[in-house]
Amino acid sequence: MPNIKSAKKRVKVNATKAAANKSRKSNLKTILKKADIACSTGADDKAEAIKLAVKKVDQACAKGLMHKNKAARKKAQLAKKLNAAK
């Protein structure tokens, strides 16, 4: 445990941010899985599921949860799955 006041604050802030990032990443993974399932099962709302997933990937990229190249790769994969399902 740190002794310096600023170091103690950093520990608290880092723990808070780590919890928030974990929650956001978990939510993103859930949405990506739902979009994948919608495409593979041929659900009627697959286009909306993909659209929501792309939006969430962009938001994750903007928040710094995901690198921009990874976000672009995920979006391309989602588009490919949607086109294959049509």
Side-chain angles (χ1 to χ4, degrees), residues 31-70:
I31 289 169
L32 288 172
K33 283 180 190 174
K34 284 182 182 178
D36 187 35
I37 290 169
C39 281
S40 62
T41 60
D44 295 333
D45 63 337
K46 62 183 167 245
E48 286 98 33
I50 296 289
K51 187 176 178 182
L52 176 68
V54 168
K55 180 180 177 184
K56 290 295 182 179
V57 166
D58 282 335
Q59 288 175 343
C61 182
K63 284 284 184 184
L65 292 176
M66 185 183 287
H67 192 271
K68 63 178 184 168
N69 291 350
K70 182 178 179 181

Side-chain angles (χ1 to χ4, degrees), residues 9-30:
K9 182 179 178 182
R10 289 273 30 118
V11 168
K12 283 184 183 179
V13 170
N14 287 340
T16 305
K17 288 189 176 192
N21 285 339
K22 187 172 184 179
S23 173
R24 287 188 185 116
K25 276 193 172 187
S26 176
N27 187 24
L28 177 65
K29 285 180 187 178
T30 303

